[in-house]
Amino acid sequence: MILGYIDPGLGMLIWQAIVSAFVGFLFYVKKSRDFIVGLGSRIFRRQKPRHEVVTDTVKPSSVPIEAEVKAR
Amino acid sequence: MASAIPSFRDPAGHCFSFQNRIFRFVAADALADFEAFFASPSAQKLVADGKLVASRRLADGELAELRSASPRSFSGGAGAFFEHEKIFFPSYPYEWPPEMLWAAGKLTLETARGALADGFGLKDATPANVLFRGSAPVFVDALSFERRDPHDPLWRPYAQFVRTFLLPLLANRRWGLSPADVFLTRRDGIEPEEIYRWCGPLEKFSPRLLSLVSIPTWLSRKANARADDGRIYRPRRLKNAEQARFILESLFRRLERTLDALRPPAATSAWSEYMGTHSYDDPAFAEKERFVREALVEFKPSRVLDAGANTGHFSAMAAGAGADVVAMDLDAACVGRMWRLGHEKSLKLLPLVLNLARPSPSLGWRNGESASFLDRAYGTFDGVLMLALIHHLLVTERIPLEEILRLAYELTNQLLIVEWVEPDDNMFRRLTRGREQLHESLNADVFESACRQYFDIVRSVALPGTSRRLYCCRRKKG
């Protein structure tokens, strides 16, 4: 690999390293948050009442509800 | 890319021109990365969108032919030669209005983000990597990409991006410094320490200056005060490649936000409103438009230089007629407007901040890295427009009439459309500022006789209600 040949600066390189460390920490915060949110949504989905699950899986009708009611 | 000597800063290869074509030598140890990048989806998309210069590897037979024509150019160590698409009329950051510097910065970040997605990194981030095809920026330094270490969380060219894009744009907004003020004397932009010295005590703590200027300056002073063992420059590696990429993506997003905040606003100047305040009434202006349009249709120039283009009304007309247009004006606000017009309408219009009386010189090492404006212009254009320009050169710059026509002769291969303004014209008188006697002897007859030394006058028309006259001239042979 050919190493960079440009002037990386001094103060700006240190500043970038400091900000990177902070953002690197945020990466783990985000990861943990995503894990907790994911876990929560899995638990919530498992505990959903049965009728809601059934409603969710009903195939949407192509006929508008009002038209269906009238036809009945 | 129009340099007189091959580029030499990047150890991975160099770029040079030969027989009006652009070539690049890529050293063997960079060749795999170079070819892999060009095969990556992000590079292919950038090339297809016209945002990255197209490249092709020279076949052995073709290379042997070129080597026999120029053994020195096409020799070198182990590696390969490529040919790049040639961009019409290379320009340099010191010829751009701030709007074009901003657009070049946007493209640099877009290419860096695209490359990151495919596992590549941009190893330098300077406006010198960008040229303009018409008003659209094109990334031309194809050797700027390398396969990145997936565990490296730092972007080495960060400081260069700040020095060459963000700080010049910030200096433009705060102190009115133009890209020419920065880049004519500084190849690598402005150091934060320099800006720090210009700031007042309170200004140093403003949020934008704090992160771009003040903190880096303080950190740099502190680090310099210590005996530096070079630890800071050692490569850093994180255990988690996903974390390194997250950090870089966040950096690019932050840089993009900063760049957007520094986007130059539409500036105004004494000349930027000229189209609304000029000295012609409607019939005169309609006549001027008709005359220029007819000349463009008759001569069909494919490459036009509009000298003193103002906000680009006639440049856009020439571009609309199918020509590649370089439009120059010394007023950066006008050129900024021209760029917006060209960019919005995707015109083949390259607007540059240039003074014909003081055109850009050759610059760089041995004056060979950036060609002068005239070196690039001679032999390039088959049409030149000099509309409402001559009186500025005569009066403000004190250039003799014959010199002006001689330069016009040198700049065009065929057509010249020129506007003659009599010394009793209001604008002429405003420029003379009491020095009328210097131009007493000038009149249309004197102009025509000077013009005939270099051109055949095809036709001319007087603009109604003014003392101005337009000439359509054909360059004499020889």
Side-chain angles (χ1 to χ4, degrees):
Chain A
M1 190 179 125
I2 290 175
L3 293 170
Y5 61 95
I6 55 154
D7 173 9
L10 176 57
M12 275 191 274
L13 186 63
I14 302 171
W15 178 231
Q16 192 193 359
I18 293 168
V19 175
S20 300
F22 177 71
V23 176
F25 168 72
L26 286 185
F27 170 78
Y28 286 111
V29 172
K30 186 180 172 290
K31 274 275 189 198
S32 313
R33 193 198 64 189
D34 289 352
F35 175 75
I36 293 164
V37 169
L39 196 69
S41 67
R42 271 205 301 278
I43 293 166
F44 179 69
R45 211 179 297 147
R46 232 179 266 154
Q47 286 179 347
K48 253 184 185 176
R50 213 177 152 203
H51 70 272
E52 275 184 32
V53 176
V54 170
T55 316
D56 281 353
T57 53
V58 166
K59 206 179 163 186
S61 165
S62 59
V63 184
I65 293 170
E66 291 85 355
E68 212 173 294
V69 171
K70 265 186 197 170
R72 279 178 195 169
Chain B
M1 282 182 99
S3 55
I5 54 174
S7 60
F8 48 77
R9 288 201 170 77
D10 189 346
H14 60 265
C15 189
F16 59 98
S17 82
F18 178 68
Q19 290 178 342
N20 217 18
R21 293 160 70 185
I22 305 297
F23 297 98
R24 184 182 293 278
F25 170 72
V26 180
D29 45 4
L31 191 56
D33 281 6
F34 184 84
E35 294 200 296
F37 173 69
F38 269 91
S40 70
S42 61
Q44 289 189 349
K45 185 174 183 317
L46 285 167
V47 171
D49 292 346
K51 292 178 177 177
L52 176 65
V53 74
S55 306
R56 68 176 185 92
R57 188 173 177 160
L58 295 181
D60 289 346
E62 198 178 359
L63 182 58
E65 222 170 86
L66 286 163
R67 198 168 274 156
S68 68
S70 175
R72 206 170 153 199
S73 302
F74 291 93
S75 59
F81 284 88
F82 292 79
E83 181 170 10
H84 289 311
E85 158 204 6
K86 191 173 163 106
I87 306 287
F88 171 63
F89 210 82
S91 59
Y92 304 108
Y94 46 82
E95 297 172 332
W96 300 345
E99 285 87 345
M100 288 169 75
L101 182 64
W102 178 85
K106 284 292 269 190
L107 178 64
T108 302
L109 285 182
E110 187 185 337
T111 50
R113 289 176 85 163
L116 178 65
D118 288 329
F120 291 89
L122 193 59
K123 65 183 181 189
D124 57 1
T126 151
N129 289 343
V130 178
L131 291 180
F132 280 79
R133 190 193 287 113
S135 299
V138 187
F139 200 96
V140 292
D141 190 0
L143 202 47
S144 287
F145 301 91
E146 63 185 357
R147 200 175 285 284
R148 59 175 283 272
D149 175 0
H151 296 268
D152 184 359
L154 294 185
W155 190 44
R156 298 269 150 183
Y158 166 76
Q160 194 183 34
F161 186 84
V162 174
R163 284 194 302 261
T164 57
F165 288 105
L166 299 184
L167 294 184
L169 287 169
L170 184 133
N172 177 259
R173 280 189 84 126
R174 292 231 168 194
W175 298 286
L177 229 67
S178 69
D181 295 328
V182 175
F183 291 105
L184 271 172
T185 50
R186 302 170 185 84
R187 182 183 61 82
D188 213 27
I190 316 181
E191 293 285 347
E193 288 83 354
E194 200 175 349
I195 300 254
Y196 187 82
R197 284 196 297 272
W198 301 343
C199 298
L202 287 178
E203 217 173 5
K204 288 171 183 163
F205 291 91
S206 73
R208 181 127 306 125
L209 283 161
L210 203 60
S211 63
L212 290 179
V213 175
S214 303
I215 294 175
T217 304
W218 296 329
L219 289 169
S220 171
R221 278 182 192 169
K222 210 165 169 61
N224 274 327
R226 279 197 224 147
D228 183 29
D229 57 0
R231 235 182 317 167
I232 182 68
Y233 300 112
R234 281 184 207 143
R236 273 177 187 68
R237 297 192 90 240
L238 300 178
K239 280 183 189 160
N240 188 340
E242 198 189 339
Q243 185 191 17
R245 191 172 153 169
F246 177 84
I247 291 169
L248 285 178
E249 280 168 353
S250 154
L251 173 74
F252 289 141
R253 275 198 304 276
R254 229 171 31 250
L255 286 173
E256 193 132 8
R257 276 200 301 274
T258 310
L259 190 65
D260 285 343
L262 292 172
R263 183 177 190 160
T268 53
S269 69
W271 295 103
S272 61
E273 308 303 319
Y274 181 73
M275 287 309 289
T277 59
H278 55 62
S279 15
Y280 316 91
D281 55 15
D282 288 348
F285 195 71
E287 182 63 27
K288 184 171 173 175
E289 281 184 314
R290 187 196 59 76
F291 186 89
V292 174
R293 190 175 294 117
E294 280 181 11
L296 290 171
V297 168
E298 183 184 337
F299 282 82
K300 295 184 182 57
S302 58
R303 292 175 165 196
V304 168
L305 173 69
D306 187 357
N310 192 255
T311 50
H313 182 80
F314 292 97
S315 320
M317 185 187 279
D324 279 307
V325 181
V326 175
M328 56 188 280
D329 200 285
L330 57 80
D331 188 307
C334 288
V335 180
R337 284 190 182 206
M338 239 189 297
W339 179 78
R340 285 167 199 267
L341 171 81
H343 191 65
E344 277 160 24
K345 299 191 171 176
S346 304
L347 296 175
K348 292 191 290 180
L349 168 62
L350 172 65
L352 299 176
V353 184
L354 276 165
N355 180 353
L356 200 56
R358 295 178 66 79
S360 315
S362 307
L363 281 180
W365 181 247
R366 291 169 57 216
N367 279 149
E369 287 187 80
S370 316
S372 75
F373 169 74
L374 291 179
D375 282 344
R376 284 170 282 154
Y378 286 147
T380 299
F381 301 102
D382 43 18
V384 167
L385 309 185
M386 284 185 168
L387 302 171
L389 172 73
I390 283 191
H391 54 305
H392 291 278
L393 294 173
L394 282 170
V395 178
T396 311
E397 299 291 345
R398 297 282 305 131
I399 312 281
L401 180 58
E402 192 178 310
E403 274 293 318
I404 298 169
L405 289 162
R406 185 175 158 179
L407 179 64
Y409 172 81
E410 289 168 351
L411 285 173
T412 182
N413 298 324
Q414 191 192 17
L415 168 72
L416 169 69
I417 305 173
V418 59
E419 182 173 354
W420 171 250
V421 179
E422 288 284 344
D424 64 357
D425 178 272
N426 274 347
M427 186 59 78
F428 200 119
R429 292 169 72 92
R430 239 167 71 186
L431 294 174
T432 54
R433 292 179 179 162
R435 297 167 293 169
E436 282 81 6
Q437 78 284 356
L438 285 171
H439 312 99
E440 268 170 355
S441 58
L442 291 176
N443 55 47
D445 292 337
V446 172
F447 171 76
E448 285 176 22
S449 106
C451 195
R452 284 200 182 94
Q453 287 183 62
Y454 302 104
F455 296 94
D456 295 317
I457 297 174
V458 178
R459 61 175 167 276
S460 71
V461 66
L463 296 177
T466 71
S467 57
R468 298 178 173 217
R469 211 172 170 84
L470 283 171
Y471 293 85
C472 170
C473 310
R474 182 183 284 113
R475 184 190 197 266
K476 284 185 173 168
K477 297 257 183 317

